Amino acid sequence: MAQSDKNSHEETKDTFYEQLEHTYDSIPRYYTKIIVGDLNARVGREEEYKQTAGSYSLHENSNNNGVRLINFAIGKGMVISSTRLPKKDIYKHTWTSPGGRFNSQIDHVVIDKRHKSSITNVRSYRGADADTDHYLVISDFKVKLSARWSNAKPKGIEKIDVDRLKNEETRKRYEEKIDNKQQ
């Protein structure tokens, strides 16, 4: 690859991560953010990245794209779920080279660190025919919802005695009151 082509390729990657960062920052903080897709990132099992990437990657070492993804995840307080969960290697392959000589884990699921326990499973599904050289990646996402029950009457809501609306004069006053509120 010529030097100018390599620089152009690096600029494309920089632009992609800048747009991803801009999009991420534009989403409200309290939303659950998940990034899923083919990032061409081989995330390795390097000790310094264990907090973000875990230790169950298919690869020993990260490639350039893997380091970019890890740095993005660290900067945004995210974890790479696809390399944090133990699986057999056959379920980690997300791409196979033409001819089947090389397998790689380059499709990932990345989630906010505070929601990392919501991802309970990430694996490739090799049987799906999707007309691509990538395998389908399946992830289980479980959300714990909390409900707040209270006997207290919500503020601003008044209880209506429907039986009183049978009286013509009361009903007209109520209708006027509603009309005035809407205007």
Side-chain angles (χ1 to χ4, degrees):
M1 183 181 283
Q3 187 63 29
S4 65
D5 289 343
K6 188 174 183 179
N7 289 341
S8 162
H9 199 60
E10 292 299 313
E11 288 174 13
T12 303
K13 291 178 190 180
D14 290 341
T15 302
F16 169 77
Y17 275 96
E18 287 171 10
Q19 288 175 345
L20 181 61
E21 194 165 331
H22 175 72
T23 303
Y24 182 93
D25 292 341
S26 70
I27 300 170
R29 201 178 116 256
Y30 52 87
Y31 281 31
T32 303
K33 297 174 198 98
I34 303 173
I35 299 169
V36 181
D38 173 12
L39 299 163
N40 283 336
R42 280 195 236 167
V43 175
R45 296 187 294 256
E46 293 96 347
E47 189 64 36
E48 61 268 23
Y49 300 138
K50 268 195 178 161
Q51 291 294 318
T52 302
S55 54
Y56 297 105
S57 175
L58 181 65
H59 307 287
E60 274 300 316
N61 299 308
S62 301
N63 66 359
N64 183 13
N65 292 337
V67 173
R68 284 177 185 266
L69 178 61
I70 291 168
N71 287 335
F72 173 80
I74 290 170
K76 297 301 176 186
M78 301 182 88
V79 295
I80 304 169
S81 295
S82 46
T83 57
R84 293 181 58 83
L85 302 167
K87 290 276 170 245
K88 291 182 178 179
D89 283 354
I90 196 148
Y91 298 121
K92 295 177 186 178
H93 302 159
T94 62
W95 175 80
T96 301
S97 67
R101 293 185 63 202
F102 304 103
N103 294 310
S104 216
Q105 183 180 22
I106 58 175
D107 302 346
H108 295 284
V109 177
V110 185
I111 189 167
D112 291 321
K113 192 177 284 188
R114 68 184 180 140
H115 296 290
K116 69 182 177 184
S117 63
S118 297
I119 303 281
T120 58
N121 185 24
V122 178
R123 64 170 284 223
S124 63
Y125 183 69
R126 298 178 308 130
D129 182 14
D131 195 27
T132 178
D133 56 351
H134 290 261
Y135 297 131
L136 180 66
V137 175
I138 297 175
S139 178
D140 293 338
F141 180 71
K142 296 185 180 180
V143 180
K144 297 173 190 144
L145 299 176
S146 64
R148 294 185 182 170
W149 299 96
S150 173
N151 290 335
K153 184 172 82 171
K155 191 174 184 176
I157 297 177
E158 63 180 80
K159 191 173 182 179
I160 300 170
D161 185 1
V162 181
D163 290 335
R164 287 181 49 203
L165 292 177
K166 291 178 183 174
N167 180 325
E168 185 73 27
E169 187 177 316
T170 306
R171 190 180 81 246
K172 284 183 183 181
R173 276 196 314 239
Y174 181 72
E175 287 173 355
E176 287 174 14
K177 184 178 175 183
I178 296 296
D179 287 339
N180 290 339
K181 280 186 179 181
Q182 289 177 351
Q183 291 174 358

